[in-house]
Amino acid sequence: MVAEHTGLPASGSEEDASVVRVLSYNIRSMRDDRAALARVIRACAADLVLIQEAPRFFRWRKAAERLARAAGLYYVTGGATTAGPMILATLRAHPERTDDVLLPRTPGLHQRGFATAVVRVGRARLGVLSCHLSLADQERYEQAGLLLEHVAALDVPHAVVGGDLNDRPEGRSFRRVAGALTDCWAAKPWGGEFTSTPHEPRQRIDALFTTGGVEVLGCGVPLGLLGVHEADLRAASDHLPVLAALRVPTTD
């Protein structure tokens, strides 16, 4: 499904708010076409990039830094320290604090975690959380509850969450998150809906969410966005990215 919206607002500052572009992207540990991945991220022109499946093993920091440089960004937090979730940003975003979180682990299942930060973009202050929830239903549901607890613990008026939920909108974990936060695609659909898989997208398991008070100006897979080519989207990862423009009120 593609929503009939022509364009997404650019980043900018207003008298009482900042327009912030946020990208969420599962990059499959950069095992695919890294040049295509960097081109997609750069073309999306996001202030904040919430990564899942960042490099986690040998020389992972160097790999993260190479990706950041190629995409015109800098490393904020996360990666191996969170078992995959990571946050990158442009110089427009100024971190106040970061916190890498490892979640309780079920024996036999992968370690999971959250990359979190509080940043200032213009005169707006925004909490940020990148996540990749479990493939196992019960653990995923528990992690959805922990996600909401960690968003509240950021202790800021406004926040954005992005990630691979491994669940569809009708699933109970997705519904748990969407019941407390605003599902950006549902609020203002733009671009494409489905994120998996790039060659034949048929499900929405990657999403962006906001807390109350943040206005969603548009959200979806950046299909047709200038500089984002279908060949690059297919080559860059086994997921499609989700891009949103948000109006975040000033919090002086």
Side-chain angles (χ1 to χ4, degrees):
M1 177 179 175
V2 177
E4 296 296 329
H5 288 275
T6 60
L8 195 69
S11 300
S13 296
E14 303 173 355
E15 184 176 348
D16 59 350
S18 290
V19 176
V20 183
R21 285 167 70 115
V22 182
L23 183 73
S24 183
Y25 205 170
N26 182 322
I27 64 170
R28 206 164 81 113
S29 300
M30 296 172 61
R31 288 182 290 170
D32 300 291
D33 188 329
R34 297 185 180 189
L37 176 65
R39 286 194 296 269
V40 170
I41 295 174
R42 183 180 285 271
C44 288
D47 302 292
L48 296 164
V49 178
L50 282 53
I51 296 290
Q52 299 84 48
E53 291 195 32
R56 297 188 288 129
F57 300 111
F58 184 66
R59 294 183 176 176
W60 68 271
R61 290 186 186 276
K62 289 187 179 295
E65 289 166 359
R66 281 196 297 269
L67 174 62
R69 285 197 302 272
L73 304 166
Y74 72 92
Y75 169 84
V76 177
T77 196
T81 52
T82 58
M86 183 171 71
I87 300 172
L88 306 177
T90 66
L91 293 177
R92 187 167 180 251
H94 303 277
E96 290 186 357
R97 66 177 191 267
T98 63
D99 187 22
D100 292 344
V101 178
L102 289 175
L103 301 178
R105 182 179 181 181
T106 301
L109 298 180
H110 290 297
Q111 177 72 63
R112 302 285 176 172
F114 302 144
T116 75
V118 175
V119 303
R120 281 196 174 269
V121 184
R123 293 170 58 203
R125 192 162 175 254
L126 185 66
V128 186
L129 186 149
S130 177
C131 68
H132 187 183
L133 303 189
S134 177
L135 289 165
D137 178 72
Q138 182 58 38
E139 185 179 55
R140 181 169 62 244
Y141 185 74
E142 292 167 0
Q143 290 170 354
L146 291 171
L147 183 157
L148 297 175
E149 290 179 11
H150 280 279
V151 170
L154 291 172
D155 193 28
V156 289
H158 307 109
V160 60
V161 172
D164 176 354
L165 272 66
N166 274 317
D167 205 17
R168 299 177 181 181
E170 64 273 18
R172 65 174 187 150
S173 298
F174 197 115
R175 287 188 287 110
R176 187 173 193 178
V177 177
L181 305 175
T182 298
D183 176 356
C184 294
W185 163 264
K188 189 74 171 183
W190 166 90
E193 178 180 8
F194 301 131
T195 63
S196 179
T197 61
H199 293 275
E200 196 174 357
R202 61 179 64 183
Q203 58 181 348
R204 182 162 74 97
I205 60 173
D206 306 86
L208 284 161
F209 302 88
T210 65
T211 54
V214 177
E215 181 184 358
V216 181
L217 304 176
C219 177
V221 177
L223 301 176
L225 186 70
L226 184 65
V228 178
H229 304 292
E230 289 191 21
D232 280 346
L233 288 171
R234 291 194 297 269
S237 178
D238 63 345
H239 286 244
L240 293 171
V242 182
L243 177 64
L246 311 173
R247 180 176 284 114
V248 184
T250 296
T251 52
D252 284 345

